[in-house]
Amino acid sequence: MAVTTAMAMAAMMLLIAQWMQLVEGFSPLQAGLRLLPAALGAGVISPLAPQLAPRWGARPVLAGGLAVSGGGFLLIALAPTTYPWVALSLLLIGAGMGSLAIASAVIMAGTPPEKSGSAAAIEETGYELGSVLGVAVLGSIAAATYRGGLSLTDLAADGVTGAAAQTVRESLAGALAFAQHAGPAAGALAHRAQQSFTDSLNVVGLSGAGLMLLAALAVWALTPKHLDISEGHH
């Protein structure tokens, strides 16, 4: 759960921050403020998760939280890519991540006291590893999708060839910088690059939804039904 959630979150937050600035035109500060729905969702649910777990069980709370986050990722993939929908997606993703408030308790509940330090270290390693894999794996998927939307043939039709075409296909920031000096085709080139980047965000949203679903199923299958997290050694 730690690995998969960190993978999805690291990639998605990186891409959404870039989308807000390079596609929507927000400043870094404005983009940061518009990411707050994720923190709001997590801030509301995190205190509630430990109260719900004794009543409903740790397994439903954890798996349900992952499913809610998966719904947020799915919105990014399928809903219109406009900020109101993105804000709702971030709210759901953050709310689902709030269930992680009891993840450590679940780990400790199944760990002998003498091995609690090792268990905590493995959990933290899972988050760090997931963040690295998210940027590397899902970031690569996003980059491939972006390049796929900017074929060399289409760019050549706009008069962009050679090293210039490689610059445009390498990153959206590079494409927008080149478009400023591209003459009559600048507007069309910038729009094409921004649309391709938005498509890559949608694809990563779908990938994130898949990861959340797999994590939810794994948690449901592997977490004991009647696990009592109050017995954990913290």
Side-chain angles (χ1 to χ4, degrees):
M1 180 179 181
V3 172
T4 54
T5 55
M7 279 185 67
M9 282 295 293
M12 183 54 63
M13 297 304 283
L14 174 64
L15 290 173
I16 286 181
Q18 293 184 61
W19 174 80
M20 287 183 180
Q21 295 175 69
L22 299 177
V23 177
E24 295 296 289
F26 297 125
S27 69
L29 177 59
Q30 290 172 330
L33 291 174
R34 283 167 172 78
L35 291 172
L36 286 177
L40 177 63
V44 171
I45 298 300
S46 292
L48 295 178
Q51 301 177 33
L52 295 176
R55 183 181 305 174
W56 295 353
R59 185 173 70 165
V61 172
L62 279 176
L66 289 168
V68 169
S69 286
F73 281 102
L74 197 60
L75 271 182
I76 291 176
L78 302 179
T81 312
T82 58
Y83 180 69
W85 283 105
V86 170
L88 177 59
S89 301
L90 290 172
L91 185 66
L92 291 175
I93 291 171
M97 293 302 170
S99 68
L100 291 173
I102 63 170
S104 296
V106 171
I107 291 174
M108 293 305 168
T111 305
E114 64 274 11
K115 294 185 178 180
S116 58
S118 297
I122 290 173
E123 179 189 9
E124 290 303 317
T125 300
Y127 288 121
E128 298 297 329
L129 177 62
S131 297
V132 172
L133 289 175
V135 174
V137 177
L138 297 184
S140 296
I141 292 174
T145 303
Y146 172 75
R147 287 194 297 270
L150 297 170
S151 69
L152 293 175
T153 302
D154 291 337
L155 291 177
D158 292 333
V160 183
T161 59
Q166 295 303 324
T167 298
V168 169
R169 299 180 80 224
E170 184 176 351
S171 70
L172 177 57
L176 295 179
F178 177 82
Q180 292 178 354
H181 310 286
L189 177 61
H191 177 74
R192 189 195 299 269
Q194 289 173 328
Q195 183 58 54
S196 185
F197 188 88
T198 300
D199 292 342
S200 72
L201 178 64
N202 299 149
V203 170
V204 171
L206 188 60
S207 301
L211 282 173
M212 292 299 98
L213 176 59
L214 287 175
L217 292 175
V219 166
W220 190 265
L222 299 175
T223 304
K225 182 177 180 181
H226 301 293
L227 177 67
D228 184 2
I229 60 174
S230 65
E231 296 179 357
H233 303 274
H234 302 279

